[in-house]
Amino acid sequence: MMRRTERIAIGLLRQALGLAQQAADDLVTELRGLSGQEWREVYRFTVRHFVTAVVFDAAERLPAEVRPPRDLLLQWAVHADKVIRDNERIAHATQSLVGLPGVQGIGITVLKGAGLASLYPRPELRESCDVDIYTGRADDFNRAVRALGIEVHDDALEHKHDCFEYCDVYFENHRSFVNSVPGRAMRRHVDNLLVGLLEGRGVRRAAPADVPNPDFNALHIVVHTAEHFSHGAAHMRHLCDWALLLASGEVDLTLLRANIAECGLLRFADAMTGICIDRMGLPSEAAGPVQRDRELENRVMSAIAGYDGKIMHDLQHKGWWESAVDKLRLFIDNDWRRRLVYNNRSFAHSFVKQVSQTVRYRIFGRR
Amino acid sequence: MKIDGRHKIRTVAGESIIIMQGQTTVDMTHVVSLNATSVWLFERLAGRDFDAAGVASLLVEEYGIERERAEADAAAWIEKLRSCGIIVE
């Protein structure tokens, strides 16, 4: 069961995305009598879910009698302004990177971020903190940027990307797209599907760099969100991206459904889609065929709405033993999520897989 | 003197403001609220050099106020924006 302030934040988000003619009167009615404290909870929700600037766009257009208190509105405006400036800085850094000597001959595709931002009514409001890129030639790219004095952290064994900082922006150069799908064979299969979509259907010319085609983006969003959801880290921005991409009408829905089924993620994807229809204003005709399960959708929605990034942040700053105990507790709490996403694999199976994967790359350096 | 071109007026719920973002490691962000006259002067003078006398002349011309009062208002406006770093030499 979601809290009132969560429902309101999501209602404002729905307004901001502009996908449906929201019953604005209903939202205004719900906002009447909202206290300053409750408004602050709404604001904090948007911060946790990386949609502060997007929701602000709706909040500042509310009728005067139901707007947030002035001091909060100004604080919100400051946050939204920072998002815009950060996006400008990221775009400038990306444009500069693409033009570097030695890098120019290596095609750079910007994943997520810039490609998905263009779907938003106001792209500059979609919050990003780093840049995910794909080159298909990671070693050549690393050599080229290292020759220019840029330090690259080769983290391919721990994660799926190499990292570097350029113009005060953090870049992740992906060698693959999948991290926590259980089973090496399945990980490889899903990765091959995505690479096939990206290289087979091409990229789109955009500023400051090329972006993937919509079919790649669609499958990538599902895989990426499923991974995050399985360990309790999916949030509202994931749902916004999904709703807007489906609403764009540019995705081959038949191909998408087949690909999602091959990845074993149909049930989860249908839950995401159902949520977007009911909560985000996604027109049902834009969603394509979807198997509805409202009880599951409500459970998933509550879980996503309850996302608390602080838990993840705190884990990184605890001692080894404390962190291990917390991680085990989270692993147990997230069992139902993994079963949903990865098709009812037993807890024992998931636990053994997770431990063996950890041992493999910590001790033997292999994923 | 001139208005620092990095600063833009934003309208938030009918209120005109300039957001001064702080450094990334220090929370020095603050918001400067402008009344209608401040906004009008900002828009007239953006992108050009000016002095206090020129600001006073604009006020006299636009609002028909006495020169002495215009000079006092101009000085106050300049001082307020200079103290925030919005007007620079």
Side-chain angles (χ1 to χ4, degrees):
Chain A
M1 188 70 154
M2 284 199 294
R3 292 201 288 264
R4 182 185 177 207
T5 51
E6 290 174 341
R7 283 201 316 275
I8 286 172
I10 292 170
L12 286 167
L13 187 54
R14 178 188 169 122
Q15 282 279 80
L17 295 184
L19 288 176
Q21 281 300 97
Q22 153 85 25
D25 292 342
D26 291 345
L27 182 61
V28 168
T29 301
E30 187 146 27
L31 288 171
R32 287 191 200 289
L34 203 65
S35 70
Q37 178 59 34
E38 286 172 313
W39 264 118
R40 291 207 170 273
E41 285 177 23
V42 171
Y43 169 73
R44 281 194 289 268
F45 178 94
T46 69
V47 173
R48 286 198 301 277
H49 288 267
F50 308 100
V51 291
T52 308
V54 174
V55 176
F56 174 70
D57 191 42
E60 70 167 328
R61 288 186 275 122
L62 288 169
E65 64 271 21
V66 294
R67 266 186 219 138
R70 179 183 176 269
D71 61 339
L72 175 61
L73 205 56
L74 292 180
Q75 180 182 355
W76 214 326
V78 168
H79 193 129
D81 182 74
K82 185 173 183 309
V83 168
I84 293 171
R85 292 184 194 225
D86 284 345
N87 282 336
E88 287 170 355
R89 185 169 52 84
I90 285 171
H92 173 78
T94 305
Q95 187 169 27
S96 176
L97 178 72
V98 167
L100 287 176
V103 172
Q104 283 173 348
I106 302 171
I108 293 179
T109 303
V110 173
L111 307 173
K112 295 185 273 177
L116 297 176
S118 63
L119 297 168
Y120 284 65
R122 292 185 59 190
E124 70 274 21
L125 300 182
R126 184 192 181 275
E127 196 167 329
S128 285
C129 48
D130 58 19
V131 184
D132 296 271
I133 64 172
Y134 177 79
T135 63
R137 295 166 56 188
D139 292 329
D140 290 342
F141 179 87
N142 288 349
R143 255 193 303 277
V145 296
R146 279 175 174 143
L148 296 169
I150 298 170
E151 192 178 329
V152 179
H153 179 49
D154 183 340
D155 205 19
L157 295 177
E158 175 78 22
H159 299 105
K160 51 190 186 299
H161 45 65
D162 306 327
C163 316
F164 61 95
E165 203 169 296
Y166 178 68
C167 291
D168 293 326
V169 173
Y170 184 76
F171 285 82
E172 293 180 351
N173 183 11
H174 286 252
R175 291 174 181 267
S176 65
F177 303 107
V178 179
N179 199 32
S180 55
V181 171
R184 264 183 295 179
M186 180 53 97
R187 267 200 306 279
R188 204 169 293 134
H189 179 64
V190 175
D191 221 51
N192 287 341
L193 263 178
L194 285 163
V195 172
L197 280 172
L198 184 61
E199 295 181 350
R201 297 204 161 207
V203 297
R204 291 189 167 182
R205 297 270 173 256
D210 293 344
V211 295
N213 60 78
D215 295 311
F216 169 88
N217 277 338
L219 184 61
H220 191 216
I221 287 175
V222 172
V223 170
H224 181 72
T225 307
E227 284 191 311
H228 277 264
F229 182 81
S230 70
H231 51 261
H235 48 69
M236 292 306 300
R237 194 186 61 194
H238 294 127
L239 290 178
C240 292
D241 292 344
W242 183 236
L244 288 168
L245 185 58
L246 288 179
S248 72
E250 295 183 322
V251 177
D252 181 337
L253 295 176
T254 305
L255 174 66
L256 174 64
R257 196 158 181 82
N259 283 336
I260 292 174
E262 268 200 60
C263 298
L265 295 172
L266 254 183
R267 200 162 164 243
F268 177 72
D270 280 346
M272 276 175 61
T273 304
I275 289 168
C276 288
I277 290 172
D278 288 349
R279 313 274 187 166
M280 312 300 287
L282 173 67
S284 52
E285 58 271 20
V290 54
Q291 192 76 26
R292 300 296 303 262
D293 179 343
R294 282 188 164 76
E295 192 181 325
L296 176 63
E297 289 165 20
N298 287 338
R299 194 176 182 197
V300 170
M301 180 74 257
S302 286
I304 292 177
Y307 167 72
D308 184 351
K310 189 174 176 299
I311 294 175
M312 304 299 168
H313 177 268
D314 285 348
L315 275 180
Q316 297 170 15
H317 294 83
K318 286 187 171 178
W320 186 90
W321 174 247
E322 223 178 347
S323 170
V325 168
D326 280 348
K327 280 182 180 175
L328 178 61
R329 183 178 54 75
L330 275 175
F331 193 84
I332 293 169
D333 288 347
N334 289 332
D335 184 49
W336 76 273
R337 298 164 182 262
R338 280 190 304 278
R339 287 173 184 271
L340 165 62
V341 170
Y342 301 126
N343 298 313
N344 287 322
R345 286 175 180 239
S346 71
F347 175 81
H349 181 275
S350 296
F351 186 75
V352 167
K353 280 287 182 189
Q354 182 65 49
V355 170
S356 70
Q357 183 177 334
T358 303
V359 166
R360 263 208 308 279
Y361 62 63
R362 291 281 185 200
I363 297 176
F364 300 109
R366 283 184 281 121
R367 289 184 69 232
Chain B
M1 69 190 87
K2 60 185 176 186
I3 292 171
D4 189 330
R6 291 174 298 175
H7 299 303
K8 304 279 182 282
I9 293 179
R10 286 206 51 179
T11 304
V12 175
E15 186 174 352
S16 298
I17 62 171
I18 294 174
I19 297 173
M20 317 277 301
Q21 289 285 358
Q23 303 290 324
T24 50
T25 54
V26 178
D27 184 12
M28 295 283 286
T29 303
H30 54 271
V31 173
V32 178
S33 185
L34 305 177
N35 62 24
T37 304
S38 280
V39 171
W40 180 79
L41 281 172
F42 187 103
E43 289 171 347
R44 285 297 299 269
L45 296 168
R48 50 187 258 212
D49 287 314
F50 57 89
D51 57 20
V55 177
S57 297
L58 284 175
L59 291 173
V60 168
E61 195 180 308
E62 179 68 13
Y63 296 104
I65 57 176
E66 289 182 4
R67 183 78 197 181
E68 195 177 327
R69 183 180 157 195
E71 285 174 355
D73 289 349
W77 180 79
I78 289 168
E79 181 48 37
K80 177 183 174 184
L81 296 196
R82 181 184 278 145
S83 68
C84 298
I86 294 172
I87 286 179
V88 295
E89 295 303 327

